Amino acid sequence: MRRRPSPRRALGNVDRRLLRHCVAVPASPRANRALDALGAAADDSLLWTALSCALATRAGASRRAAVRAMLSVATTSLAIHFCLKPVRHRRRPRSVLARGIHGTAPAPRSSSFPSGHAASAAAVVAAMSMESTGLALAVAPLAAAVAYSRLHTGVHWPSDVLGGIVLGVAGALATRCLWAPKPAPADLRHRQRRWHSHRHAWLSCATRTIAAWHRRTPPTGHATR
């Protein structure tokens, strides 16, 4: 009788399968170099610092989003590098899987879990969403590309990236305890209420339509006369 693998070994097997799917995505040498460069630009949160400095030049929601993003990144980075990474060292995929890794840049020597790049990217998007939904949606593709680059180049396991995203969102939410977001304008709240009322109306209409269709449909396996 085969013994069930331990949770740690099962997670490792899932990580390997998912990572093989990520590195199996065909990419040209130019795309590989671009992903390497994107990951290098996000080292030490330099990419997000430069973006926040650019956004801080505009007053209003843009400046508030930039300040909250930097506060979230600082909170998340401190928790990761001083509380989580030193606890247990985890080998990086590039030192375990020798084949199929696209990255050429040297991998960091610190623990693989969690991904600091993914945590900072998620913290920025979550923090900006509290001040400006438009800014968060504009930055989200760049943040997703940074997180994916860590998988494609074999620097992190999928669970590292997922853990980093969770920690980044938690770090952004923690800033609400220190600095509450500015309430949305009255016209925006009115549009949000209208959207929610329309959504409930559409859902109830769809539910009634499906229920009526089920009542008219004859049961399966019985002949109709």
Side-chain angles (χ1 to χ4, degrees):
M1 183 176 180
R2 295 182 59 184
R3 296 177 58 185
R4 287 187 177 183
S6 63
R8 182 181 175 186
R9 184 178 295 275
L11 176 61
N13 294 335
V14 173
D15 265 337
R16 284 177 170 82
R17 285 196 293 267
L18 292 177
L19 187 65
R20 286 193 179 96
H21 285 297
C22 291
V23 299
V25 175
S28 62
R30 182 177 299 178
N32 295 333
R33 289 193 298 269
L35 290 173
D36 270 332
L38 182 60
D43 285 344
D44 300 323
S45 301
L46 294 178
L47 174 63
W48 308 119
T49 302
L51 178 62
S52 298
C53 290
L55 293 175
T57 58
R58 299 179 58 187
S62 178
R63 183 171 298 171
R64 293 195 306 272
V67 174
R68 187 178 294 277
M70 284 293 91
L71 183 60
S72 303
V73 169
T75 304
T76 306
S77 298
L78 288 174
I80 288 176
H81 293 287
F82 290 98
C83 299
L84 295 177
K85 281 185 178 291
V87 172
R88 185 179 181 86
H89 184 79
R90 187 185 192 189
R91 297 175 63 187
R92 295 182 181 267
R94 198 177 292 178
S95 63
V96 178
L97 304 177
R99 298 180 179 179
I101 302 298
H102 300 290
T104 57
R109 296 182 179 179
S110 59
S111 177
S112 181
F113 182 85
S115 171
H117 285 64
S120 297
V124 168
V125 175
M128 289 186 175
S129 66
M130 300 179 193
E131 303 292 347
S132 173
T133 306
L135 281 176
L137 292 176
V139 176
L142 179 61
V146 170
Y148 173 74
S149 71
R150 310 309 285 172
L151 299 173
H152 189 80
T153 56
V155 182
H156 282 290
W157 301 100
S159 59
D160 301 336
V161 174
L162 180 60
I165 292 173
V166 172
L167 291 171
V169 173
L173 293 175
T175 62
R176 298 172 66 99
C177 301
L178 303 175
W179 179 24
K182 186 176 180 180
D187 58 341
L188 179 58
R189 291 197 299 268
H190 178 65
R191 290 197 298 268
Q192 290 175 344
R193 284 195 297 268
R194 287 186 58 188
W195 159 248
H196 287 303
S197 63
H198 290 327
R199 185 184 63 177
H200 288 307
W202 294 336
L203 289 176
S204 61
C205 180
T207 303
R208 289 195 299 268
T209 303
I210 294 174
W213 181 79
H214 276 293
R215 286 195 297 269
R216 294 178 181 178
T217 304
T220 305
H222 294 274
T224 57
R225 296 181 180 179

